[in-house]
Amino acid sequence: MNNYNFELIEYNNFRSARIFITSIKYSNFHWHYEYEFVFVLKGSIKINTRPEAVILQEGDIILLNSKTIHELQCTNDNNLLLFIQIVPELFCIEKNENRDYYFYLNSKNQRMQPKCNIDIFTQLVSQIGLSNLREKICETASLRTRALVLMLVAECFENLSYDIYQKSSGEKRNENNNNFLMTCIDYIQNHFKNEFVLEDMYKEIGMSEKSVHRFLTSNLGISAKKLLTERRIDEARRLLKYTDKQIGIIADLVGFQSDKTFYRVFKTEVGITPNEYRSNGGCLNNDMEIKGYLTWSEKEAHGLLIRYSN
């Protein structure tokens, strides 16, 4: 397995999905917690995932599940793509949140077709794209966008085949099993605020610090400590942008034991201080090792979305 990048997703204003349109040249192997719909408005795109790569053409749609490692490459055709990245929390439909859902949707694969006509999904994602564009000129458009995203999640449960994976507690994993990789990631995701999260994780999964370090660096190209730091800084960015909490309080909420350490780590990871980040409105610089976005025409995208939404 190669080294993969973790992609930090910055959500739209209602903070449950990130929706955007772009033309893309490349996107190196990466992963994120969000479920991601990719809809091809124009041209074609090659998506490399396990077990095999797929080339999507105009009108095709695919759903990449949470924590799916994937890479996007342009073909000879100019492309225009709609991306809808949805937080996993929206897929919790029962009180038991200790579950992962793996959905099957790929318009190029006959075994991954929805129970309904696939146009239901292409029309719905197009409507989401249109509503998202309208947010620039209509204050209430975000409410409609949120409603449409929830409808899309409902369609997944009602019309897609899916598997349910129960997250186990304290189960010892084989180092060569991808489930073990996600066990480590999920543990840090859910317990990053705790002071001794890494020590607790090693005990929980029944492996030594050195063994976990070796496994994560060889599979993700990142250590458990670095993964924890990125998760804490991710949450700190969110709090700095969307709340008026004092920076000292934020440092404590995300698991740092001192303000000095928080300032030092934040500047190292983000490039600016927490105060500067908040003053700039919480702007994030995209990781160009992950993304290779190109310029595109909003007018053209709007016309294509209208066509597919009807």
Side-chain angles (χ1 to χ4, degrees):
M1 190 180 287
N2 299 320
N3 292 342
Y4 306 115
N5 292 306
F6 167 74
E7 182 181 5
L8 172 65
I9 305 298
E10 184 181 16
Y11 303 121
N12 293 58
N13 54 4
F14 55 82
R15 287 183 260 167
S16 61
R18 180 176 183 236
I19 304 152
F20 63 100
I21 300 167
T22 189
S23 177
I24 194 167
K25 182 178 181 181
Y26 69 91
S27 174
N28 291 343
F29 276 110
H30 65 284
W31 62 274
H32 43 71
Y33 293 107
E34 290 70 17
Y35 290 82
E36 181 172 40
F37 286 86
V38 183
F39 181 46
V40 183
L41 296 171
K42 171 186 172 183
S44 60
I45 190 75
K46 181 180 180 181
I47 301 181
N48 294 315
T49 61
R50 284 177 171 75
E52 59 186 7
V54 60
I55 295 180
L56 301 180
Q57 297 173 319
E58 185 173 321
D60 282 328
I61 187 171
I62 193 172
L63 171 55
L64 301 172
N65 286 277
S66 174
K67 295 170 285 190
T68 296
I69 297 169
H70 57 285
E71 176 190 49
L72 282 75
Q73 295 178 346
C74 66
T75 63
N76 292 329
D77 298 329
N78 292 328
N79 61 63
L80 190 60
L81 310 172
L82 168 64
F83 291 88
I84 302 175
Q85 299 167 329
I86 305 175
V87 295
E89 288 76 12
L90 284 190
F91 290 85
C92 295
I93 59 173
E94 299 180 3
K95 292 182 179 179
N96 181 8
E97 297 182 356
N98 200 32
R99 291 180 171 184
D100 281 331
Y101 295 91
Y102 190 97
F103 296 92
Y104 297 92
L105 175 63
N106 181 349
S107 58
K108 282 294 188 182
N109 190 329
Q110 289 299 318
R111 295 173 297 176
M112 301 175 69
Q113 299 293 312
K115 301 172 187 176
C116 62
N117 191 307
I118 200 165
D119 288 347
I120 297 296
F121 281 90
T122 58
Q123 290 172 0
L124 187 50
V125 297
S126 298
Q127 291 168 11
I128 291 172
L130 282 171
S131 182
N132 185 66
L133 289 178
R134 290 187 67 242
E135 291 183 17
K136 298 178 182 179
I137 57 175
C138 178
E139 293 181 355
T140 60
S142 63
L143 298 175
R144 185 176 298 277
T145 304
R146 179 176 176 82
L148 290 169
V149 169
L150 292 173
M151 287 177 61
L152 181 59
V153 173
E155 290 292 345
C156 290
F157 283 104
E158 293 176 8
N159 287 306
L160 296 183
S161 298
Y162 61 88
D163 292 322
I164 301 175
Y165 297 96
Q166 191 73 23
K167 300 177 185 176
S168 60
S169 176
E171 181 181 352
K172 193 171 182 177
R173 305 284 183 170
N174 185 293
E175 286 193 12
N176 295 320
N177 193 327
N178 279 341
N179 287 336
F180 176 73
L181 175 63
M182 294 312 167
T183 295
C184 295
I185 293 171
D186 284 342
Y187 194 93
I188 292 174
Q189 167 77 1
N190 296 327
H191 301 88
F192 70 92
K193 298 178 182 179
N194 299 343
E195 181 179 358
F196 302 106
V197 54
L198 295 182
E199 291 83 351
D200 292 341
M201 182 181 73
Y202 303 143
K203 294 177 183 177
E204 180 77 10
I205 62 181
M207 290 183 65
S208 68
E209 178 181 355
K210 289 184 178 179
S211 295
V212 174
H213 177 82
R214 183 171 60 249
F215 179 83
L216 289 179
T217 53
S218 63
N219 284 272
L220 283 180
I222 187 173
S223 67
K225 183 177 180 181
K226 178 67 172 177
L227 195 61
L228 173 61
T229 297
E230 288 186 350
R231 180 64 186 93
R232 285 174 168 170
I233 295 301
D234 179 9
E235 180 66 9
R237 284 168 162 171
R238 187 186 70 82
L239 293 173
L240 286 166
K241 182 171 183 178
Y242 293 109
T243 75
D244 58 359
K245 295 181 184 295
Q246 296 180 359
I247 292 178
I249 294 176
I250 290 176
D252 182 64
L253 287 174
V254 301
F256 287 95
Q257 299 308 303
S258 72
D259 295 358
K260 184 177 179 180
T261 301
F262 173 60
Y263 270 85
R264 174 177 55 80
V265 174
F266 191 96
K267 186 170 183 179
T268 298
E269 294 293 319
V270 183
I272 56 178
T273 68
N275 283 321
E276 291 170 334
Y277 182 83
R278 174 171 272 173
S279 298
N280 291 336
C283 295
L284 295 175
N285 294 321
N286 289 333
D287 184 353
M288 294 311 296
E289 291 185 0
I290 296 176
K291 304 168 186 174
Y293 295 166
L294 305 173
T295 58
W296 54 282
S297 166
E298 183 172 323
K299 181 178 180 181
E300 180 183 28
H302 186 270
L304 291 169
L305 288 171
I306 289 178
R307 189 178 85 189
Y308 284 113
S309 65
N310 296 323

